[in-house]
């Protein structure tokens, strides 16, 4: 019963409706060794499709289907690169401004922005957002409903007042988030449909370090990122004693996730269930008898080695994702036409 509710919330059972997203992350940093001062990453449905960074100052398409986009829009890459090189300068100035506001003199600082839109392909509903962060915390956030900026930090109040005052720029930004962004999103989804609208099933493995440790059910290689995974015991979905991990991106454009069964009781029938949006059949992996295994301890070594290696791989993937998340931290839109006004925190303040 509960599962049904979750499934409905996730839209997994309503086959037709899909929420697509276009998202841009900007990250500006100062004094981070071996890391570009500015990075912009654009993604569609959580799949990275374009990247710009200050070390090359070029915009690079990241998906095969982007070739068609750039062929049909010859100015696209140059336009994006030019836009982002301006943002790069703005971010540099923003970090200086923020440092002053926070009374900081030196050290490593990170400014991020994340903005974009979501579009429901059945209802046509569109949602937009724009959030700016500094040193890992929210700094200023756009509220599309009230068309005002929210300043969670006192240091952002000056910016809020200034930006709220600029009605023309707010109107332009609202237009970007609710019109331009979804238009481009639809274009991208159409260009990339053979890849973006595909489904790929994962391989699922059960991992356990020792007979008494938690059992982790790990699925990797699935697409899209609309998936659910849970444990069942004697036919009933388990909600207690399980720990669900986040869905994380793999480098090849697929996703992975895992769900851990904390303390499996001997003699019970457990199975791990994986469900992918748009795919009818679940992938069910049975947990065979968990025994104490004391009888044949020698057999366990290879398993443990394999499990430790897998655990490491997962840890590395997770760390990679965190870095990726950090790297990709901040704002704008899609191609070409986005208002410059919002780009600077307040350069002269
Ligand atoms: C929404 O997307 C899904 C999956 O691609 C598709 O099956 C469905 O027909 C789409 N709905 C509309 C109204 O296009
Ligand atoms: C900023 O730092 C200086 C020097 O450490 C200190 O005297 C001053 O009180 C600080 N101001 C704020 C607003 O924290």
């Amino acid at each position: 019963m509960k599962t049904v509710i979750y499934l409905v919330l996730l839209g997994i059972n309503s086959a037709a409706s899909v929420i697509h997203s276009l998202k841009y992350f900007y990250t500006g940093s100062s004094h981070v060794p071996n890391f570009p001062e500015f990075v912009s990453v654009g993604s569609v449905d959580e799949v990275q499709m374009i990247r710009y960074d200050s070390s090359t100052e070029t915009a690079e398409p990241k998906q095969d289907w982007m070739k068609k986009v750039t062929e049909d829009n010859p100015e696209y890459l140059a336009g994006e690169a030019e836009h982002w090189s301006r943002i790069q300068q703005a971010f540099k100035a923003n970090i200086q401004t923020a440092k002053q506001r926070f009374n900081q003199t030196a050290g490593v600082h990170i400014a991020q922005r994340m903005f974009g839109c979501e579009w429901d392909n059945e209802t046509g509903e569109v949602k937009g957002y724009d959030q700016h962060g500094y040193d890992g915390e929210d700094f200023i956030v756009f509220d599309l409903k009230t068309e005002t900026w929210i300043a969670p930090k006192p240091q952002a109040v000056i910016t809020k007042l200034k930006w709220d005052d600029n009605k023309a720029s707010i109107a332009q930004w609202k237009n970007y988030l609710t019109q331009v962004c979804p238009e481009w999103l639809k274009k991208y989804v159409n260009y990339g449909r053979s890849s973006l609208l595909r489904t790929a099933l994962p391989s699922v493995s059960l991992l356990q370090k020792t007979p008494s440790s938690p059992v982790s059910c790990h699925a990797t290689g699935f697409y899209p990122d609309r998936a659910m995974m849970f444990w069942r015991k004697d036919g009933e979905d388990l909600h207690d004693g399980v720990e669900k991990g986040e869905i994380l991106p793999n480098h090849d454009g697929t996703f992975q996730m895992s769900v851990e069964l904390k303390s499996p009781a001997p003699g019970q029938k457990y199975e791990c269930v994986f469900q992918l949006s748009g795919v009818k059949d679940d992938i069910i992996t049975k947990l065979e008898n968990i025994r104490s295994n004391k009888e044949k301890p020698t057999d366990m070594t290879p398993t443990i080695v394999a499990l430790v290696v897998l655990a490491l791989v997962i840890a590395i993937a997770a760390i990679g994702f965190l870095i990726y998340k950090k790297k990709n931290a901040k704002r704008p839109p899609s191609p070409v036409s986005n208002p410059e006004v919002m780009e600077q925190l307040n350069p002269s303040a």
Side-chain angles (χ1 to χ4, degrees), residues 7 12-13 15 199 201 232 273-284:
L7 291 176
I12 279 184
N13 273 359
T199 52
L201 293 172
R232 242 180 226 155
V273 183
F274 176 90
Q275 301 175 325
L276 188 62
S277 168
V279 174
K280 268 202 191 123
D281 295 326
D282 300 344
I283 299 180
I284 296 177

Side-chain angles (χ1 to χ4, degrees), residues 15-16 18 121-122 197:
V18 169
N121 84 331
E122 282 290 302
L197 304 182

